[in-house]
């Protein structure tokens, strides 16, 4: 086991953009090591307590944040916030100031990203974004880790062409920031009106320039944007909290389904990716998600390895 994990510059992980390219590389190295030799990390988080505050349902994020710390000698507590939102029963400040007396890390899934920012401001322990309306950095980390494993390491991501097709919201924003930091070239394809946030697009361009990664983000409504892409990524058309608008969304997204024809328009042998949960028959056909080109279960597995690495580095940073 590595004796030290490089401390991260930011106390929290609220967005992928809080990391530097060097930190992403270090996280990937640690994730690979924990995945390869789990026994060596059996006590790496001994005595560490993580609390998970979830305003929305979850399978992957919840299970991986429970199993991961347990495998490294720590433990996690799940706190269901689906009935009362964070800040409802008592102020976010009081909540944060209580929690920091008992736990080493707060992992939160929220409707509003602003709640995460407030939590992070009000507490000295790390706060990890487990999905907000704006970002899903743990997902993005696992996704680029999954690609890096197939490309001979993180340097294989430089110039790697991938497409995201679907809603330009949380998962898309984290993939965009990840592209800027790893040097991948991401084409975002959305129906008109569902483009990613303009400030996030411009932040990504600034990030890629500042770190000179060669990463890029291009936004289009044209499905032909998948041409030459070696991976095609999609997400649900109706994110949690958007159910009231499901009908209109289905109509807008229908032409953007990932099916055999769309995959055939990408580079030969292109991989298919999805954060899951998938809505089979909507954003992706069974034939595509069940094909040998599909990486979806590897992405899900890597959620745990990426997050384990993150916890090791974040908790190492606190001393
Ligand atoms: N991809 C993802 O975050 O899945 P869950 O919603 O099941 O956690
Ligand atoms: N965009 C989806 C991601 C789920 C992991 C949502 O917010 O529901």
């Amino acid at each position: 086991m590595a004796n030290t994990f490089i401390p991260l510059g930011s106390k929290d992980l609220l967005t992928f953009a809080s990391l530097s390219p060097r930190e992403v590389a270090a996280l990937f190295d640690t994730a690979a090591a924990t995945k390869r030799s789990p026994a060596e990390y059996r006590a790496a988080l001994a005595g560490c307590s993580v609390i998970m505050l979830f305003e929305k349902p979850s399978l992957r994020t919840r299970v991986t944040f429970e199993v991961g710390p347990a495998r490294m000698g720590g433990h996690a507590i799940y706190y269901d916030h689906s009935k009362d939102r964070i800040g409802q029963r008592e102020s976010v400040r009081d909540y944060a100031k209580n929690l920091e007396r008992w736990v080493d890390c707060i992992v939160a899934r929220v409707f509003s990203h602003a709640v995460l920012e407030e939590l992070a401001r009000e507490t000295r322990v790390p706060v990890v974004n487990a999905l907000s309306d704006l970002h899903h950095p743990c997902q993005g980390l696992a996704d680029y880790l999954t690609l890096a494993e197939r490309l001979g390491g993180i340097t294989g991501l430089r110039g790697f062409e991938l497409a995201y097709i679907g809603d330009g919201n949380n998962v898309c924003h984290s993939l965009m920031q990840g592209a800027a930091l790893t040097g991948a070239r991401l084409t975002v394809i959305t129906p008109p009106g569902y483009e990613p946030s303009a400030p996030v697009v411009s932040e990504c361009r600034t990030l890629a320039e500042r770190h000179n990664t060669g990463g890029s983000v291009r936004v289009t409504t044209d499905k032909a944007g998948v041409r030459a892409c070696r991976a095609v990524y999609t997400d649900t058309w109706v994110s949690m909290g958007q159910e009231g608008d499901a009908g209109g969304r289905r109509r807008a997204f229908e032409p953007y389904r990932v099916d055999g024809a769309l995959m055939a328009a990408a580079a030969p042998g292109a991989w298919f990716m999805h954060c899951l949960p998938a809505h089979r028959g909507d954003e992706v056909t069974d034939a595509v998600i069940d094909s040998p080109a599909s990486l979806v279960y590897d992405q899900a597995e890597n959620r745990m390895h990426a997050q384990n690495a993150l916890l090791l580095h974040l908790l190492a940073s606190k001393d």
Side-chain angles (χ1 to χ4, degrees), residues 163 189 223-230 232 259-270:
I189 305 164
K223 288 194 297 178
V226 297
R227 198 164 58 86
C229 288
R230 294 173 58 200
V232 176
D259 56 14
L262 189 98
M263 291 303 291

Side-chain angles (χ1 to χ4, degrees), residues 56-58 60-61 109-110 130-136 139 164 167 169-172 235-243 274-277 279 303:
K56 304 177 189 177
S58 169
R60 281 144 290 271
T61 311
R109 171 167 283 201
V110 297
L131 180 83
S132 69
D133 52 341
L134 290 182
H135 297 278
H136 199 0
Q139 183 67 51
Y164 172 90
D167 195 2
N169 68 346
N170 42 24
V171 169
C172 176
D235 184 13
T236 183
W237 295 341
V238 184
S239 284
M240 291 179 273
Q242 297 175 335
E243 292 79 4
H274 194 309
C275 56
L276 303 180
H279 303 80
R303 290 293 305 276

Side-chain angles (χ1 to χ4, degrees), residues 17 25 41 46 64-65 124 129 133 137 168 208 224 230 248 250 275:
Y41 294 83
T64 52
F65 268 115
R124 59 184 154 77
N129 181 356
D133 52 341
R230 294 173 58 200
R250 280 224 166 73
C275 56

Side-chain angles (χ1 to χ4, degrees), residues 144 160-166 172 175-176 179 184-190 196 216-229 231-233:
Y144 284 107
F160 181 81
E161 300 257 1
L162 77 153
Y164 172 90
I165 180 161
C172 176
L175 289 173
M176 288 162 51
R185 297 169 59 80
L186 176 65
T187 299
V188 175
I189 305 164
T190 73
S216 65
V217 174
R218 180 168 72 101
V219 180
T220 177
T221 56
D222 183 359
K223 288 194 297 178
V226 297
R227 198 164 58 86
C229 288
V232 176
Y233 195 122

